């Protein structure tokens, strides 16, 4: 069986589904602080557990025949991480240490870890490849980088097999509309734009229009959540031949204004917007070099058109289940 921590979260729930479709048996663990119980596929075993609770983790490994772990469980609000770093280091770093200890005690030696392009900080060059320097700008990014380093140390010392996947901007929803993004509070651009277009929010704030980009707004690499889920499935099969970190993005960037224009085209509606100051710590441009992921995993994003990605998110937004 595969243990998916954070299995009720956005990327976690799509990955649980992908693994089940591939014929794997899955235990999805989540503390449900930000996750949604309804997001967990009924074919998975669900366990309500928190990484802070070492005893629950031990019991989990004693109860189920777990061969490998896909580890998503983490707090992921950058702004909150600046205000409450302790919360982030305890959950994201100490929680991961507890998980690794339970794995070692149970003799489980394989993990795929959910890392982030937030580990890079301000880009020195683009697109960002795996050897780009890592100088994260906030405690969230530093918590993810700390776990990457811990995994490398555990690999050297204990032979742990791991792959850390650094996502750029996860976006979109399951093509069949059954799963999607549901953060409370929502801070991400695409859902906020779609909520404004659905009439649920008044207007979208464009954070900065004086960046050195094609239209002055920030450029990000939006990668479809089902493509990310597929990368985790592939990574589970590759921990015997590769150990290390891989960047996951489409390689193509879209600006905030381009996202808004694409969403307007998909929905046939006009999005109310207003300019707002830059958000602290936002680089002008982030795009991924995905060549290594293609080479190691044989991974190629199927969604390469931002309009298509937004179409799946709009389908979810208008028929949300949770
Ligand atoms: N953004 C924006 N208005 C918002 C939310 C986000 O202009 O209400 C911008 C943000 O500055 C960034 C991009 O949209 O350049 C994507 O932000 P998001 O929070 O979705 O993801 P992040 O890049 O922070 O992971």
């Amino acid at each position: 069986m595969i243990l998916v921590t954070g299995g009720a979260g956005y990327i976690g729930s799509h990955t649980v589904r992908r693994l089940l479709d591939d014929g794997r048996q899955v235990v999805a663990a989540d503390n449900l602080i930000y996750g949604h119980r309804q997001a967990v596929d009924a074919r998975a075993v669900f366990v309500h557990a928190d990484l802070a609770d070492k005893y629950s983790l031990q019991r989990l490994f004693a109860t189920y025949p777990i061969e490998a772990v896909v580890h998503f469980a983490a707090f992921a609000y950058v702004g909150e991480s600046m205000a409450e770093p302790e919360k982030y280091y305890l959950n994201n770093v100490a929680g991961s240490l507890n998980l690794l200890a339970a794995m070692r005690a149970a003799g489980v030696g394989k993990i795929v870890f959910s890392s982030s392009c937030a580990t890079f900080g301000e880009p020195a060059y683009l697109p960002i490849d795996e050897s780009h320097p890592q100088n994260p700008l906030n405690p969230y990014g530093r918590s993810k980088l700390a776990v990457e380093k811990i995994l490398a140390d555990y690999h050297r010392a204990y032979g742990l097999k791991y792959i850390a996947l650094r996502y750029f901007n996860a976006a979109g929803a399951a093509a069949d509309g059954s799963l999607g993004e549901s953060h409370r509070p929502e801070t991400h651009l695409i859902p906020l734009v779609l909520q404004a277009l659905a009439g649920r929010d008044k207007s979208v704030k464009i954070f900065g229009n004086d960046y050195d980009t094609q239209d002055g707004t920030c450029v990000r690499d939006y990668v479809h959540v089902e493509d990310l889920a597929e990368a985790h499935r592939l990574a589970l099969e590759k921990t015997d031949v590769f150990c290390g970190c891989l960047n996951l993005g489409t390689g193509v960037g879209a600006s905030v204004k381009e996202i808004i224009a694409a969403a307007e085209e998909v929905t046939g509606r006009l999005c109310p917007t207003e300019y707002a100051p830059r958000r602290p710590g936002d680089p002008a441009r982030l795009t991924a070099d995905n060549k290594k992921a293609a080479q190691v995993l044989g991974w190629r994003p199927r969604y390469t058109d931002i309009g298509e990605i937004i179409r799946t998110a709009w389908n979810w937004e208008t028929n949300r289940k949770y």
Side-chain angles (χ1 to χ4, degrees):
M1 286 182 109
I2 309 295
L3 169 64
V4 179
T5 74
Y10 175 39
I11 310 171
S13 60
H14 286 79
T15 301
V16 166
R17 162 84 57 87
R18 185 70 197 90
L19 295 173
L20 290 163
D21 287 346
D22 195 42
R24 303 278 202 150
Q25 290 188 306
V26 176
V27 184
D30 204 291
N31 61 13
L32 298 180
I33 293 180
Y34 291 117
H36 304 275
R37 180 65 184 84
Q38 308 96 294
V40 181
D41 193 297
R43 294 170 291 170
V45 174
F46 177 74
V47 176
H48 191 182
D50 194 293
L51 298 180
D53 181 353
K54 293 182 188 178
Y55 178 68
S56 290
L57 287 174
Q58 255 174 27
R59 210 172 39 198
L60 221 163
F61 282 95
T63 309
Y64 302 100
I66 293 164
E67 309 136 55
V69 177
V70 186
H71 176 33
F72 292 97
F75 293 143
Y77 287 106
V78 169
E80 186 185 60
S81 82
M82 314 256 247
E84 294 183 65
E86 185 180 52
K87 176 173 171 176
Y88 277 68
Y89 289 121
L90 278 176
N91 190 49
N92 298 6
V93 183
S96 296
L97 286 170
N98 289 343
L99 174 66
L100 290 169
M103 287 173 64
R104 287 191 66 214
V108 177
K110 256 190 209 184
I111 186 167
V112 175
F113 173 60
S114 163
S115 190
S116 168
C117 71
T119 58
F120 292 112
E122 188 65 46
Y125 57 83
L126 290 168
I128 296 179
D129 60 16
E130 283 74 9
S131 42
H132 186 286
Q134 289 178 291
N135 297 301
L137 299 171
N138 49 64
Y140 166 69
R142 282 189 277 277
S143 74
K144 290 288 175 182
L145 181 56
V147 178
E148 284 188 6
K149 302 286 188 204
I150 290 165
L151 292 173
D153 287 340
Y154 279 38
H155 169 64
R156 275 186 292 268
Y158 311 129
L160 176 73
K161 294 178 177 172
Y162 78 96
I163 296 182
L165 299 175
R166 301 179 182 134
Y167 330 131
F168 282 62
N169 287 59
D176 67 1
S178 57
L179 292 175
E181 188 167 12
S182 181
H183 298 113
R184 294 198 184 87
E186 188 51 80
T187 60
H188 296 105
L189 179 65
I190 293 177
L192 287 175
V193 168
L194 296 180
Q195 282 163 25
L197 286 163
R200 276 197 277 282
D201 254 332
K202 281 197 281 302
S203 74
V204 172
K205 289 193 169 68
I206 297 175
F207 295 147
N209 63 342
D210 56 352
Y211 285 97
D212 183 17
T213 59
Q214 57 267 38
D215 56 23
T217 65
C218 285
V219 170
R220 294 289 178 272
D221 184 334
Y222 296 88
V223 52
H224 197 273
V225 66
E226 288 192 322
D227 283 326
L228 293 178
E230 173 65 359
H232 290 79
R233 184 190 75 78
L234 293 166
L236 272 175
E237 291 172 2
K238 297 289 177 184
T239 52
D240 288 328
V241 290
F242 174 81
C243 228
C245 302
L246 297 170
N247 295 354
L248 297 181
T250 63
V252 178
S255 74
V256 174
K257 282 189 175 173
E258 286 166 354
I259 291 293
I260 293 167
E264 288 179 335
E265 197 176 317
V266 165
T267 60
R269 303 179 186 188
L270 273 181
C271 182
T273 59
E274 57 188 284
Y275 288 118
R278 289 182 176 200
R279 198 172 59 176
D282 259 345
R285 232 176 240 285
L286 290 172
T287 53
D289 182 331
N290 60 22
K291 282 200 279 297
K292 193 166 176 187
Q295 180 206 324
V296 172
L297 303 179
W299 179 78
R300 272 186 194 72
R302 288 174 52 214
Y303 285 88
T304 51
D305 176 57
I306 192 64
E308 282 304 307
I309 294 177
I310 291 175
R311 196 178 303 282
T312 64
W314 178 241
N315 183 32
W316 164 253
E317 197 55 55
T318 48
N319 300 287
R320 296 172 76 106
K321 313 276 188 297
Y322 49 89

